[in-house]
Amino acid sequence: MRGVNAELGSSATGLYGSRPGERLARATATEFLGTAVLVFTGTSAAVANAVAGRPVYDLLAVVLAFGTVLVALVAALGHVSGCHLNPAVTLGLAATGRFPRSAAAAYVGAQLAGGLLGALLTWAVGGGAAREGGRLGATVPAEGVSSPRAFLTEALVTFVLVLVVVSVATDERATGAVAPVAVGFALAAGIFVAGPLTGGAVNPARALGPDLLAGEIAPLWIYLLAPTLGGVLAAVVYDRVLAAAEPPG
C-alpha cells in the first residue's frame, strides 16, 4: 500500500487485493450488488417477526444475519471491488489517500443505490407486513434516546468497524486470511452495541433505503452523517497514529 495521503494510481492494490483504479464500472456494479445483498439479508431478518406474525427472531439473529453475510461478501467480492459496501469505509479510505478520490463518488452512489434496492427486495419478499409492521428494518433512535446520543453511538460503532477494515485490509502486517471474519465480527459487535439504541445502522447505505421507503425521514440525517464522521476519523487515526507503530522489542 502506498504512503499516506498519496493518490492511488490505476495499478495500486486496494482492499483484499482489488485494483480500485481499474475497471471502475465493474467495481461499482460489485459495490451495488454487494450492498443490496447486505441490506436485503439483514433487514429481512429484522422484519421476520412482522412478516411471520409471531416471534421468530431476536436481536441476535439480526446481528448474525448482518455479520455473517458481510463475511461471505468480503470473501467472495473483496478481490473485485474491495467490498467496501459502506460509504463510511470509502470516504475514510479516500480521505487518507488509500482509495482514488476520483472513484469515491461512484462507489458511494453505487452503495446508496444498492441499499435502496436491498430495501425494495425486503419489501417485495416480505410484502406489506414487512413495511407496515416491520418498517423494512428502518433505523430510528429508540424511545428516550436523544439525537445527540444517537449520533454519538453511530459514530463510535462505525469508528470501530472502519478501524478494523483499514487495519486488516490495508496493512501488510495483518494476516489477510482473517480479514473477512474480522470485518464481519466488527459489524456484528457494532450492531450489538447500537441496536437497542439506534437500530445499529453502522452504514449510511444500510440506513438510507429502509428509512426512505418506510417514511422515516426525520432521523435520517443522523445515519448519513454520524457513520461518515466516525469512518473518516477511524481511517485518519489509523493512518496517522497506528499504522507506523511497532510492538515493543
Side-chain angles (χ1 to χ4, degrees), residues 114-143:
L116 182 60
L117 175 60
L120 282 169
L121 292 173
T122 297
W123 191 355
V125 170
R131 184 183 186 278
E132 301 306 322
R135 310 302 292 166
L136 298 177
T139 49
V140 297
E143 185 176 354

Side-chain angles (χ1 to χ4, degrees), residues 69-93:
V69 76
L70 185 57
V71 171
L73 289 170
V74 169
L77 305 177
H79 61 286
V80 180
S81 69
C83 206
H84 299 186
L85 311 187
N86 187 337
V89 173
T90 300
L91 295 175
L93 292 171

Side-chain angles (χ1 to χ4, degrees), residues 13-164:
T13 302
L15 301 188
Y16 316 112
S18 62
R19 297 283 182 175
E22 298 176 359
R23 296 185 174 89
L24 182 59
R26 182 179 67 178
T28 53
T30 303
E31 289 292 304
F32 171 76
L33 176 62
T35 307
V37 171
L38 174 68
V39 172
F40 168 66
T41 302
T43 57
S44 292
V47 304
N49 292 345
V51 171
R54 66 183 191 281
V56 178
Y57 295 142
D58 56 13
L59 177 61
L60 176 59
V62 178
V63 169
L64 290 175
F66 275 111
T68 56
V69 76
L70 185 57
V71 171
L73 289 170
V74 169
L77 305 177
H79 61 286
V80 180
S81 69
C83 206
H84 299 186
L85 311 187
N86 187 337
V89 173
T90 300
L91 295 175
L93 292 171
T96 55
R98 294 176 180 271
F99 183 78
R101 295 182 180 93
S102 58
Y107 260 51
V108 170
Q111 293 154 1
L112 294 176
L116 182 60
L117 175 60
L120 282 169
L121 292 173
T122 297
W123 191 355
V125 170
R131 184 183 186 278
E132 301 306 322
R135 310 302 292 166
L136 298 177
T139 49
V140 297
E143 185 176 354
V145 177
S146 66
S147 293
R149 186 177 166 200
F151 191 99
L152 177 62
T153 301
E154 285 290 321
L156 286 174
V157 293
T158 310
F159 178 94
V160 173
L161 171 65
V162 176
L163 188 71
V164 171

